[in-house]
Amino acid sequence: MHIAVFADIEGSFGIWRMRQCRMGTAEWQYGRHCLTEDVNHVVRGAFDAGAARVTVYDTHEVGFNCLINKLDPRAGYVGGHFVSPTFYGDISDVDLALYVAIHAASGTENAFFPHTHYGVFSEMRLNGRPVCEMDIYGAYLGEFGIPVGFVSGEKIAVDQALRVLPWTQSVIVDKREETYTAGEKSRNYLREGRRQLRDRAAQAVREIKNVRPLITPGPLHFEAEFRTVELADRFNTWNFTQTDRTIAWHAKNMIDGFDKLNMLTFYPRNIYSLRRPLSFFNRCFYRIKNTCFSPHPNSEGAWMP
Ligand SMILES: [Zn+2]
């Protein structure tokens, strides 16, 4: 059994503000410690339940958020994004996906750093319905035959994920500063929270027969509402249908629709033919930069793992 642990960062235990998720800052260095701890507990849970192989897919921003040399050495590691065979690289023999540290959808009120796929969107809709990342990533993985069996993150993010993936195990993570800056109390909260990560991840792997790949039948109609008209104009290099700040496209299935979303978001027309070497370069560059040239951590008074 090969388990994929997908890592975002916003929904990590220990993280309460945006700078802790922003690559290159001293606070992000702290955020990386938090995320690595969370990921390690999920990895341990997967092995507890008999996984033969576990691979961590580090996907926030350009990848390489986890502290690779502090990850459970039994796990494989893949950082960044790919063009083929999938956006996450080779996932052909993955049996189950576990999603660590997710966040709420663009436009969610009172949520921590809510966005869907990229910060430029104020709302993403699928066949007229607002969606979160799990609607898209879950169905994308689903079309490769991979179910999602676990999510962790703040309550509203988990609720949104459970709407589309009702069979998943979940762990709720608090996003208030005072939860993480109260000394011994914070330490106990983190210890208990991460114990839950390990237990629920193990349960997800043990109960793999109860989950199924998410399939959202096509045809699909995507609408990406940008924060401003100027952003929509700038990003619409492919001349998708545009009405003010909303760009729309049709897709035969989620793989097709997600490819088009990535064309819109990351691959403007003028660099499209270079996307393979560019994504390869990005992965090499950020692996080295984030491993060898990291700022000193600033934990802002939190208890640090
Ligand atoms: Zn993220």
Side-chain angles (χ1 to χ4, degrees), residues 7-11 21 59-61 65 101-103 113 115 117 133 137:
D8 208 336
I9 194 169
E10 292 84 353
C21 308
T59 60
H60 173 73
E61 286 194 26
N65 298 276
I102 65 167
H103 51 80
F113 212 169
H115 61 280
H117 199 49
E133 286 184 353
Y137 304 164

Side-chain angles (χ1 to χ4, degrees), residues 126-204:
L126 198 52
N127 295 342
R129 190 176 63 85
V131 290
C132 67
E133 286 184 353
M134 286 303 108
D135 289 82
I136 298 173
Y137 304 164
Y140 180 74
L141 293 172
E143 287 180 10
F144 291 100
I146 303 167
V148 176
F150 170 96
V151 294
S152 67
E154 70 168 325
K155 184 168 187 315
I156 181 71
V158 167
D159 286 347
Q160 290 174 346
L162 291 180
R163 240 175 263 162
V164 61
L165 304 164
W167 51 77
T168 54
Q169 298 292 327
S170 60
V171 174
I172 289 172
V173 179
D174 201 279
K175 293 284 104 187
R176 287 171 304 177
E177 175 175 354
E178 58 267 32
T179 305
Y180 301 110
T181 51
E184 191 57 26
K185 214 173 140 198
S186 301
R187 191 180 181 139
N188 290 337
Y189 175 77
L190 287 168
R191 197 179 287 141
E192 168 57 21
R194 292 192 171 121
R195 190 189 59 75
Q196 281 184 30
L197 291 177
R198 184 173 181 166
D199 289 352
R200 299 282 155 76
Q203 202 174 339

Side-chain angles (χ1 to χ4, degrees), residues 1-7 42-57 76 88 90-100 134 137-138 140-151 165-170 197-214:
M1 210 173 6
H2 182 194
I3 307 300
V5 176
F6 284 88
V42 171
V43 167
R44 280 175 209 142
F47 279 119
D48 291 346
R53 232 179 112 198
V54 178
T55 304
V56 175
Y57 291 84
Y88 305 112
D90 184 3
I91 50 172
S92 55
D93 66 348
V94 169
D95 297 295
L96 180 70
L98 311 177
Y99 252 98
V100 181
M134 286 303 108
Y137 304 164
Y140 180 74
L141 293 172
E143 287 180 10
F144 291 100
I146 303 167
V148 176
F150 170 96
V151 294
L165 304 164
W167 51 77
T168 54
Q169 298 292 327
S170 60
L197 291 177
R198 184 173 181 166
D199 289 352
R200 299 282 155 76
Q203 202 174 339
V205 173
R206 271 186 216 109
E207 296 177 3
I208 190 169
K209 285 192 177 64
N210 299 343
V211 299
R212 56 177 187 273
L214 173 65

